Amino acid sequence: MKAGVRALGIAESYRGDHDQTRSTLAGAVVRADRVWDGLAYGTCRVGGTDGTDAVIDLVDGLDRPDVRYVLLGAIAPAWYNVLSLSRVREAVDRPVIAVTFEASDGLEAGLRDAFSGPELEDRLGTYRALPDRRELSVDGETVYVRHVGLEAADADDVVRAFTPDGGRPEPLRIARMTARAADSYVRTVE
């Protein structure tokens, strides 16, 4: 991949605090040669259903037509705020790749424990519409990938190209650090 190709990594700050009502989303633009050249913030509700719109707004607000790929560090940020990868793809007109880092039996059991009625059905519908999750080996680490807008081999190439070591793509690593730093700062000034 050429050094100047850019990806936007989006990660969140939420760490399981149920008193927290909003989660900070950070978007970090990183080139394939690891140069970081953009940052944006947004928020979504903890336990809400506004995550997909928040991601779309963050990408639109950056106004970076040079970003070729959108990498997401979660499919259900902020306590089951389930993202629709296909809606994000359609809205931002770029391939979307969700990269997660832990083995899982899926979210259905957790969703059923946390929600009922229309809240559950809405989340289950969005979750079930997601593309299948696949294992991918990156630098001796296993990550789990879902993607829309590109073929599996191309998605794998993108994840590997943006992962210098340690199994976490650089755009997601930077986005996660900046989301947590911003959230920590906001909590100290409130």
Side-chain angles (χ1 to χ4, degrees):
M1 182 167 299
K2 291 184 180 178
V5 172
R6 289 164 175 80
L8 170 64
I10 300 175
E12 64 155 336
S13 65
Y14 182 69
R15 297 182 213 184
D17 178 359
H18 291 293
D19 292 334
Q20 187 179 349
T21 60
R22 307 230 27 108
S23 181
T24 301
L25 300 176
V29 178
V30 179
R31 297 185 340 198
D33 64 0
R34 314 301 184 261
V35 173
W36 171 30
D37 77 351
L39 184 63
Y41 290 101
T43 64
C44 65
R45 287 183 306 117
V46 171
T49 57
D50 62 337
T52 299
D53 291 331
V55 166
I56 292 167
D57 290 346
L58 192 150
V59 176
D60 287 346
L62 262 173
D63 193 27
R64 293 289 301 262
D66 58 335
V67 168
R68 192 183 276 168
Y69 307 101
V70 175
L71 304 178
L72 303 173
I75 60 156
W79 196 66
Y80 300 123
N81 200 326
V82 184
L83 302 178
S84 169
L85 273 58
S86 60
R87 271 193 55 222
V88 173
R89 161 73 171 117
E90 289 170 19
V92 304
D93 195 29
R94 284 159 227 190
V96 176
I97 304 168
V99 183
T100 55
F101 308 96
E102 296 176 14
S104 166
D105 291 330
L107 297 180
E108 287 206 29
L111 288 169
R112 289 182 189 288
D113 287 345
F115 301 98
S116 62
E119 287 186 321
L120 173 62
E121 294 309 314
D122 181 46
R123 285 169 177 80
L124 284 175
T126 303
Y127 176 67
R128 289 175 179 159
L130 290 170
D132 290 337
R133 183 179 193 221
R134 302 180 298 103
E135 280 189 20
L136 175 64
S137 178
V138 180
D139 294 328
E141 302 283 333
T142 300
V143 298
Y144 303 88
V145 177
R146 299 174 194 261
H147 54 87
V148 292
L150 70 173
E151 298 296 321
D154 295 328
D156 295 353
D157 289 346
V158 169
V159 172
R160 287 184 176 120
F162 283 92
T163 306
D165 57 43
R168 188 173 298 269
E170 193 70 356
L172 293 177
R173 188 185 73 78
I174 293 170
R176 184 174 129 191
M177 285 188 333
T178 57
R180 288 182 173 185
D183 189 64
S184 293
Y185 173 75
V186 167
R187 287 174 181 241
T188 63
V189 297
E190 287 183 335

